[in-house]
Amino acid sequence: MKIAAAQFPSVLGDVEANIGSMAALIREAARQGARFVAFCELAAQGYALAPIAADPGLWLAEDDPRLEPVREACRTTRTAALIGCAARTDGDRPAISALVIGPDGEPLARYDKTHLYGEELEVFTAGTVEGRFELDGVRFSVAICYDNRLPEVAASAAADDCRVYVASSVLEAGNDSFEKVCPVRARDNGLYVLLANHVGTCEVGECRGGSAVWGPDGTLLADAGDGGRGLALLELPADAAARWNERRRAAVRTW
């Protein structure tokens, strides 16, 4: 299976334009063989908290018709995608969410950021459930930006037999996550870490992109580059699924 982290400059507050950019990148990644594509934190709205707080019309739901271009791209290319967005909850605040759309265009998983940071605490509702899904026999874990600062999040993913750890983020230029967080989480837990980062100016500052994949030994294996639209793609080794399936079969035999 080939996985991809995609980056593009979100237009602040323009959900339709950002969804269109993501649909185009899903198709582009699929042409290069990708089966799964991840986008950054709040990619659908852009990282600007005050406009999101003020306008519930910007918030998305899993069945939101504005997501149809992405659903269609997933269906026609048989590719799954993780969409970073502000999503509706049962309360009066949205969540910082990762909506995973399957290769059939249907919802596959949802993860709401559990560790909010700074002014996010005043705007969003924190999630309470870990992010997990399976695709083609490979188990994925999902974390969003500040979640990755807590070592126990990645450790839990490894203990839960995940092989790919998706870090959907907004990291400004100079953030030490590229050197001191993502590769460390990969190495310490034997995970493939897939970082999808914003590119361009947003509320946290100037984001350089640098979306990337690190291998289980912490080695940088793919990089989307700095400062522009791009993709970081990696073909997972065949044992990424085989190891997880063997553990599952062993658990069933033990039971």
Side-chain angles (χ1 to χ4, degrees):
M1 180 202 299
K2 186 175 285 189
I3 59 175
Q7 63 187 38
F8 71 98
S10 291
V11 181
L12 296 180
D14 195 335
V15 173
E16 287 80 3
N18 296 328
I19 292 295
S21 293
M22 286 187 269
L25 276 162
I26 291 167
R27 294 181 188 279
E28 184 176 329
R31 285 193 291 270
Q32 298 183 54
R35 178 71 166 161
F36 172 74
V37 186
F39 294 93
C40 77
E41 179 183 28
L42 295 177
Q45 292 91 1
Y47 194 97
L49 304 190
I52 291 172
D55 185 2
L58 292 175
W59 310 351
L60 295 175
E62 289 95 325
D63 61 351
D64 200 297
R66 289 171 292 184
L67 286 169
E68 183 55 31
V70 164
R71 287 193 285 261
E72 177 64 16
C74 290
R75 278 194 297 267
T76 57
T77 64
R78 302 298 298 167
T79 306
L82 181 152
I83 306 302
C85 66
R88 297 185 179 278
T89 66
D90 293 335
D92 59 0
R93 290 185 175 191
I96 298 180
S97 297
L99 304 182
V100 183
I101 298 172
D104 58 358
E106 297 300 318
L108 182 59
R110 170 174 171 166
Y111 169 70
D112 294 344
K113 186 175 184 178
T114 56
H115 301 94
L116 301 175
Y117 179 76
E119 293 181 7
E120 294 172 355
L121 292 162
E122 301 173 10
V123 176
F124 298 100
T125 296
T128 58
V129 179
E130 293 179 317
R132 302 284 189 268
F133 67 94
E134 184 183 342
L135 182 67
D136 295 349
V138 177
R139 191 159 170 79
F140 287 72
S141 175
V142 181
I144 299 177
C145 209
Y146 194 72
D147 289 333
N148 302 307
R149 289 281 176 181
L150 285 79
E152 58 266 29
V153 175
S156 175
D160 200 18
D161 288 335
C162 296
R163 292 291 286 154
V164 179
Y165 179 94
V166 184
S168 177
S169 302
V170 173
L171 305 172
E172 75 280 12
N175 191 293
D176 67 358
S177 293
F178 299 94
E179 294 81 26
K180 296 183 178 180
V181 177
C182 291
V184 174
R185 299 292 175 264
R187 183 177 64 247
D188 287 355
N189 299 284
L191 295 165
Y192 289 90
V193 171
L194 180 72
L195 167 67
N197 192 34
H198 180 64
V199 59
T201 303
C202 69
E203 198 166 287
V204 304
E206 188 68 25
C207 298
R208 68 177 182 87
S211 299
V213 190
W214 288 265
D217 62 354
T219 300
L220 180 65
L221 301 177
D223 189 340
D226 293 350
R229 180 180 181 276
L231 295 164
L233 296 112
L234 179 75
E235 181 77 42
L236 293 175
D239 70 347
R243 288 181 184 178
W244 187 82
N245 285 326
E246 176 55 35
R247 288 175 184 171
R248 181 168 58 179
R249 287 192 293 270
V252 170
R253 289 196 296 269
T254 299
W255 184 85

